[in-house]
């Protein structure tokens, strides 16, 4: 039960926990067009990209507040989620609602300052996530489509922020990778739920016998799409080299490590939390990023 208002004290830590800053790493997809359009050295584009990433971070946090408000009763009945600030009463409901409004309005106003087209994409992202929180997250497969669409909108937003046309290759690779991440999250939740009970209503409509082969297919398609991109006429014309092929092993290692986490690890952490704690995954990601920058910008 929510503590009486007289004993509730608003804690900055409660606000920060609900905002989930560790999830902001997903918003680095907003910066992908800057990197692959070779605009990192363009100071104006760089600052617009930083502003765009910040807008998406604030906007995504407002979505987390909204999601916890919508799920507050379910979270209070959950063995671990009941400790979340809104469910436990550490963050009053009225304050949480005010933060949703404040975060979303400030983010969208900032998006307008970046560019009107970027603001349009950011608004579409916010509307999509409202629909996801209120209804779509409970519809099997549609929920993952929404997650993948969110990543696509991040990339589109990043492209519009610096006024470059979004690469079809980048969008295809993002769609496949995001779909794999989404279904991987559901597979992880379903596997953990075997011992702890279902934590999401939608998990009742998923089966591991379906998710495992689907993840393998998506992993293969993602690697194939990325490999094709590195050797495409587009990449050769734009970067003047086919050396991007040397980054394929890092993509394979990263995807293999992700699949290992979601299908084999025993802990109940989310895949994002597991990745951020996994030294091998982080080291591989760092080396991949460095290799991309060296190949693209030396070329």
């Amino acid at each position: 039960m929510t503590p009486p208002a007289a004993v509730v004290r608003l804690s900055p830590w409660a606000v920060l926990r609900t905002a989930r800053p560790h999830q902001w790493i997903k918003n680095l997809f907003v910066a992908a067009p800057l990197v692959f359009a070779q605009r990192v050295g363009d100071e104006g584009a760089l600052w617009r990209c930083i502003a765009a990433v910040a807008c998406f971070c604030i906007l995504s946090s407002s979505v987390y507040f909204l999601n916890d408000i919508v799920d507050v009763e379910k979270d209070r009945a959950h063995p671990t989620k009941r400790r979340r600030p809104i469910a436990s009463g550490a963050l009053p409901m009225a304050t949480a609602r005010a933060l949703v409004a404040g975060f979303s309005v400030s983010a969208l106003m900032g998006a307008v300052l970046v560019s009107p087209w970027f603001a349009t994409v950011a608004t579409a992202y916010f509307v999509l996530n409202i629909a996801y929180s209120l209804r779509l997250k409970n519809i099997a497969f549609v929920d993952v489509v929404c997650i993948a669409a969110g990543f696509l909108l991040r990339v589109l937003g990043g492209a519009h922020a610096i006024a470059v046309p979004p690469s079809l290759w980048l969008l295809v690779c993002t769609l496949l990778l995001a779909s794999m991440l989404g279904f991987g999250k559901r597979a992880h939740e379903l596997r953990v739920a075997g011992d702890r009970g279902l934590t999401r209503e939608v998990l009742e409509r998923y089966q591991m016998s379906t998710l495992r082969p689907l993840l393998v297919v998506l992993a293969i398609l993602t690697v194939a799409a990325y490999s094709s991109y590195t050797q495409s006429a587009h990449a050769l014309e734009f970067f003047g080299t086919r050396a991007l092929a040397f980054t394929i092993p890092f993509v394979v290692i990263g995807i293999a490590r992700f699949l290992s986490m979601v299908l084999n690890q025993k802990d109940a952490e989310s895949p994002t939390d597991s990745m951020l704690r996994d030294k091998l995954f982080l080291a591989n990601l760092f080396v991949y990023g460095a290799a991309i920058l060296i190949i693209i910008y030396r070329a």
Side-chain angles (χ1 to χ4, degrees):
M1 294 180 63
T2 305
V7 299
V8 172
R9 295 180 180 178
L10 178 60
S11 164
W13 177 243
V15 175
L16 190 64
R17 279 186 61 199
T18 310
R20 305 198 202 4
H22 62 284
Q23 297 284 356
W24 290 350
I25 191 171
K26 299 173 183 177
N27 295 315
L28 290 179
F29 276 81
V30 178
L34 178 82
V35 174
F36 286 95
Q38 296 180 307
R39 299 287 294 278
V40 172
D42 182 335
E43 185 175 347
L46 179 60
W47 281 110
R48 288 195 300 276
C49 178
I50 292 173
V53 171
C55 286
F56 264 87
C57 288
I58 297 171
L59 206 55
S60 60
S61 286
S62 74
V63 171
Y64 288 125
F65 277 97
L66 175 62
N67 192 67
D68 284 3
I69 290 171
V70 173
D71 288 345
V72 63
E73 294 302 329
K74 293 180 181 178
D75 288 350
R76 285 171 180 164
H78 191 273
T80 57
K81 291 182 179 180
R82 64 185 180 183
R83 301 188 185 95
R84 286 179 173 178
I86 296 177
S88 67
L91 185 62
M93 185 69 75
T95 303
R97 292 192 181 102
L99 288 169
V100 171
F103 277 31
S104 57
V105 170
S106 60
L108 294 176
M109 289 179 63
V112 171
L113 296 178
V114 175
S115 92
W117 278 109
F118 173 72
T120 300
V121 174
T123 301
Y125 171 85
F126 186 56
V127 171
L128 172 68
N129 278 279
I130 291 176
Y132 176 84
S133 295
L134 296 179
R135 173 60 180 157
L136 299 181
K137 67 181 179 182
N138 295 320
I139 304 175
F141 296 94
V142 173
D143 59 331
V144 175
V145 170
C146 291
I147 293 173
F151 279 94
L152 278 180
L153 289 171
R154 286 178 173 95
V155 173
L156 286 172
H160 285 300
I162 62 173
V164 299
S167 165
L168 180 59
W169 281 106
L170 184 57
L171 293 177
V172 169
C173 290
T174 298
L175 177 62
L176 291 170
L177 178 62
S179 298
M180 186 191 70
L181 294 175
F183 284 116
K185 182 177 181 180
R186 292 295 178 262
H188 175 269
E189 291 171 336
L190 189 60
R191 186 172 55 79
V192 171
D195 299 323
R196 301 168 182 262
L198 296 180
T199 56
R200 293 178 186 268
E201 178 183 334
V202 74
L203 293 179
E204 298 176 356
R205 302 174 182 87
Y206 281 110
Q207 299 291 331
M208 285 301 294
S209 58
T210 301
L211 290 175
R212 283 182 181 273
L214 181 58
L215 284 171
V216 172
V217 170
L218 285 171
I220 293 172
L221 289 176
T222 302
V223 172
Y226 182 79
S227 301
S228 298
Y229 165 64
T230 65
Q231 299 304 295
S232 67
H234 170 82
L236 180 60
E237 179 181 354
F238 203 78
F239 304 123
T241 179
R242 297 190 187 275
L244 279 175
F246 292 113
T247 65
I248 295 175
F250 301 117
V251 174
V252 174
I253 292 172
I255 289 176
R257 188 59 179 165
F258 172 77
L259 293 180
S260 174
M261 289 179 194
V262 301
L263 296 176
N264 300 315
Q265 282 192 0
K266 300 296 184 182
D267 61 69
E269 290 183 336
S270 73
T272 301
D273 293 336
S274 297
M275 286 188 288
L276 292 176
R277 295 174 185 272
D278 188 79
K279 294 180 180 179
L280 174 59
F281 184 88
L282 292 176
N284 180 73
L285 181 63
F286 176 80
V287 176
Y288 168 75
I292 285 289
L293 291 174
I294 291 171
I295 292 170
I296 289 178
Y297 287 89
R298 286 193 65 181

